[in-house]
Amino acid sequence: MARKLILDVDTGIDDALAIAYALASPELELIGVTCTYGNVDVAQAVRNSLAILELFGRTDVPVYAGPQREGFEVMDISQFIHGVNGIGEAELYDAARAPERLSAVDFMVQSVHRFGDDLVIVPVGPLTTVAAAVEKDEHFAARAHIVCMGGALTVPGNVTPCAEANINQDPEAADLVFRQCADVTMVGLDVTLQTLLTTVETKQWRALKTAGGDFLADATDYYIKAYETTSPHLGGCGLHDPLAVAVTADPSLVETLPINLKVDTEGASRGRTIGDETRLNDPAKSARVAVGVDVARFLQEFMRRLTGLASETPVV
Ligand code: BDR
Ligand code: CA
């Protein structure tokens, strides 16, 4: 039976790839997309998510808006990597439908109660909405299963020497989630910067001559170009968010380290994900951090699934 999935996105180019990966995965049933801020604001994340779902013919998947941190403004570096519209200036029609009235926080809380162990929540943006769900419902932290993209345990951050972008947006929320939630898998830069895509692959999408293929190629080429400037040593763009979805569909793609995590919230190391020294000797570990990844197998699955999905969209 497919596992039910809530994908929490700040859509974002790699968030768009994560939505596509979820739609193309028979192991997962996407029951809702919740929108947060980060690469763009919540309103734009909602707009992009609705448009992407419509492009792939999945107007049955509801979209929910989450809370936005007070004073949030899109960072210059986010705009450089993802474009002003968040999807690399790729052009998509606005969806004909609107987001749901229910808030993302309430949707998460209700879904955890309704589906229990059959549900996994995959946040691939700041953990603001998940933290709000923990604070709203006393059972949420114990019952929710979470696979998040964020953090960096064995490598430097990508916004500061210590902080990864998603954690950096709201370190307090991430700290609360890592300290309180009973089951968290962290898919961070340790592994997501090993899974890289180049224009060799995006050409395959363009060759499909479909609306979905063109969108994936246009958005990802923009993202690859940005990475050529910010991280030329990598030789491709990081497939951060789709890797978290792939790990949810198939946990054997990564090796993990059991650990109790916390996030530094003060000083120069603000935003750092690190072991919680106060729980070092606790034999129960609430988190697993991905530290190794089967790159070849993931990339093969990524291309197979997304190319299949894009080939089913209208010919252009
Ligand atoms: C993370 O930050 C965002 O810019 C990406 O979408 C990804 O979720 C990578 O650090
Ligand atoms: Ca993201």
Side-chain angles (χ1 to χ4, degrees):
M1 201 181 73
R3 203 158 184 213
K4 297 195 190 313
L5 165 71
I6 296 176
L7 189 54
D8 189 38
V9 285
D10 58 324
T11 323
I13 297 170
D14 61 323
D15 304 76
L17 300 175
I19 293 173
Y21 200 105
L23 295 178
S25 295
E27 304 89 341
L28 302 170
E29 181 197 344
L30 185 60
I31 64 162
V33 170
T34 53
C35 293
T36 184
Y37 62 92
N39 297 322
V40 290
D41 63 16
V42 171
Q44 186 68 28
V46 166
R47 213 171 297 134
N48 290 345
S49 302
L50 286 167
I52 291 162
L53 288 166
E54 190 153 303
L55 172 71
F56 291 116
R58 292 301 303 274
T59 51
D60 57 307
V61 178
V63 173
Y64 303 85
Q68 183 160 297
R69 175 170 57 75
E70 214 169 295
F72 167 74
E73 276 180 32
V74 178
M75 293 169 76
D76 289 346
I77 182 68
S78 308
Q79 220 164 70
F80 179 76
I81 292 177
H82 297 272
V84 175
N85 73 352
I87 47 175
E89 315 311 351
E91 283 173 26
L92 283 185
Y93 291 112
D94 273 343
R97 67 187 172 125
E100 306 300 308
R101 279 167 182 269
L102 188 70
S103 75
V105 176
D106 288 338
F107 177 62
M108 277 189 195
V109 168
Q110 289 177 14
S111 300
V112 159
H113 282 276
R114 183 159 169 213
F115 300 117
D117 292 342
D118 294 334
L119 173 75
V120 61
I121 298 174
V122 180
V124 296
L127 287 165
T128 308
T129 304
V130 181
V134 170
E135 284 185 319
K136 183 152 196 181
D137 182 81
E138 55 177 336
H139 302 295
F140 185 90
R143 293 188 188 167
H145 301 287
I146 297 166
V147 178
C148 69
M149 189 285 134
L153 191 68
T154 62
V155 294
N158 58 358
V159 177
T160 76
C162 295
E164 179 279 332
N166 290 338
I167 305 293
N168 182 64
Q169 288 287 359
D170 195 345
E172 285 76 16
D175 188 47
L176 185 140
V177 169
F178 287 141
R179 284 180 193 269
Q180 294 197 27
C181 289
D183 179 20
V184 181
T185 300
M186 178 179 123
V187 179
L189 301 181
D190 313 87
V191 284
T192 65
L193 286 178
Q194 296 184 47
T195 53
L196 304 163
L197 208 74
T198 70
T199 52
V200 172
E201 287 84 26
T202 59
K203 281 190 182 113
Q204 296 175 35
W205 291 335
R206 209 173 285 290
L208 295 172
K209 300 204 181 307
T210 63
D214 279 1
F215 167 69
L216 292 177
D218 288 348
T220 311
D221 280 349
Y222 188 101
Y223 189 54
I224 291 168
K225 258 214 158 58
Y227 264 76
E228 277 168 12
T229 308
T230 59
S231 316
H233 59 283
L234 290 175
C237 66
L239 295 175
H240 308 285
D241 296 352
L243 182 59
V245 176
V247 169
T248 309
D250 179 0
S252 76
L253 283 170
V254 289
E255 288 158 43
T256 59
L257 172 77
I259 185 171
N260 288 315
L261 281 175
K262 68 168 188 178
V263 175
D264 289 342
T265 55
E266 307 280 343
S269 66
R270 179 171 160 79
R272 175 173 68 158
T273 45
I274 187 86
D276 176 4
E277 71 283 8
T278 67
R279 292 185 292 155
L280 188 60
N281 294 322
D282 188 336
K285 311 295 182 198
S286 59
R288 278 164 303 285
V289 175
V291 289
V293 55
D294 188 337
V295 175
R297 195 153 64 86
F298 166 66
L299 286 179
Q300 201 185 356
E301 282 304 311
F302 176 83
M303 285 309 292
R304 187 177 68 80
R305 291 175 192 229
L306 269 67
T307 308
L309 185 77
S311 66
E312 284 161 21
T313 55
V315 172
V316 285

